[in-house]
Amino acid sequence: FFGRTIIIATGASARKLGIPGEEKFFGKGVSTCAVCDAALFQGKEVIVVGGGDSAMEESLALYKFAKKVTIIHRKNEFRASQIMQDRVLKLKDKISVIWDSDVIEVLGDKFVKGVKVRNLKSGKVSNLACDGMFLAIGHVPNTSFLKGFLDLDERGHIKVQGVRTSVRGVFAAGDVMDPRY
């Protein structure tokens, strides 16, 4: 194909933990989109991994359907905006938080049945029963094929001025160039 202009809009993919069971149960209880999948967890117990605005949004989408939502965050405070934290933390009857912890394994048979959680301060490992795990830990821009062709930032987003890239006639749009949203 020949053209004078190229617009790169390859998006971004949800960041994953890279832990045992995550790929095996992806689509079988492991998800990256609560808005897409929340209704599938009606009356069930789910966890959300993360501590930013995305994790708060995922939790708020899920609590309307799930019996219980547990947020697991590796730090002792959220990175989310205060207004998003307030919205989540006021729903104590439906949303709880496990601080200073990582999910280290997804457990199940055909579907997710639980996760293995490690407390980062004590090192204690415990199993937590759940029916689903939602990842809200950021995105990775789909730009690996552009290395050496366009200027990318340290996280892999295309560097732009407006929508112009470092190569004349090549433009970028959407998540591939937008680290904020």
Side-chain angles (χ1 to χ4, degrees):
F1 296 97
F2 296 93
R4 293 184 189 156
T5 304
I6 297 172
I7 300 171
I8 299 171
T10 52
S13 298
R15 180 172 279 124
K16 295 182 181 175
L17 296 169
I19 58 173
E22 182 179 44
E23 287 301 322
K24 176 181 179 182
F25 294 110
F26 197 83
K28 298 174 183 173
V30 175
S31 175
T32 56
C33 182
V35 173
C36 309
D37 297 336
L40 301 173
F41 293 88
Q42 181 78 41
K44 300 190 183 238
E45 295 188 16
V46 297
I47 66 161
V48 173
V49 179
D53 281 340
S54 295
M56 302 302 111
E57 288 174 21
E58 297 283 284
S59 299
L60 291 169
L62 285 162
Y63 97 92
K64 298 170 187 166
F65 296 95
K67 178 169 68 173
K68 182 181 178 187
V69 176
T70 302
I71 301 170
I72 299 178
H73 186 46
R74 63 185 173 187
K75 297 183 180 176
N76 63 358
E77 62 184 34
F78 291 133
R79 291 177 294 114
S81 63
Q82 192 61 52
I83 193 165
M84 293 301 287
Q85 290 183 51
D86 293 344
R87 287 180 187 165
V88 165
L89 294 174
K90 78 176 185 182
L91 298 168
K92 292 181 192 293
D93 58 319
K94 291 278 278 194
I95 301 175
S96 62
V97 182
I98 298 175
W99 302 103
D100 300 309
S101 297
D102 270 340
V103 176
I104 58 172
E105 186 176 355
V106 182
L107 308 170
D109 44 37
K110 291 182 181 178
F111 297 96
V112 171
K113 297 290 183 201
V115 293
K116 198 172 278 193
V117 180
R118 178 182 55 222
N119 181 284
L120 297 173
K121 289 187 175 179
S122 69
K124 182 182 176 196
V125 174
S126 58
N127 290 346
L128 176 65
C130 67
D131 302 294
M133 176 177 82
F134 289 80
L135 299 170
I137 54 175
H139 289 82
V140 177
N142 298 323
T143 58
S144 60
F145 70 101
L146 296 169
K147 288 182 182 153
F149 177 67
L150 294 177
D151 290 344
L152 306 176
D153 70 14
E154 64 282 347
R155 292 172 50 197
H157 292 90
I158 299 172
K159 290 182 177 181
V160 293
Q161 290 184 328
V163 293
R164 288 188 166 109
T165 70
S166 58
V167 174
R168 183 182 164 115
V170 179
F171 302 87
D175 292 343
V176 75
M177 47 73 83
D178 189 348
R180 183 169 182 186
Y181 296 103

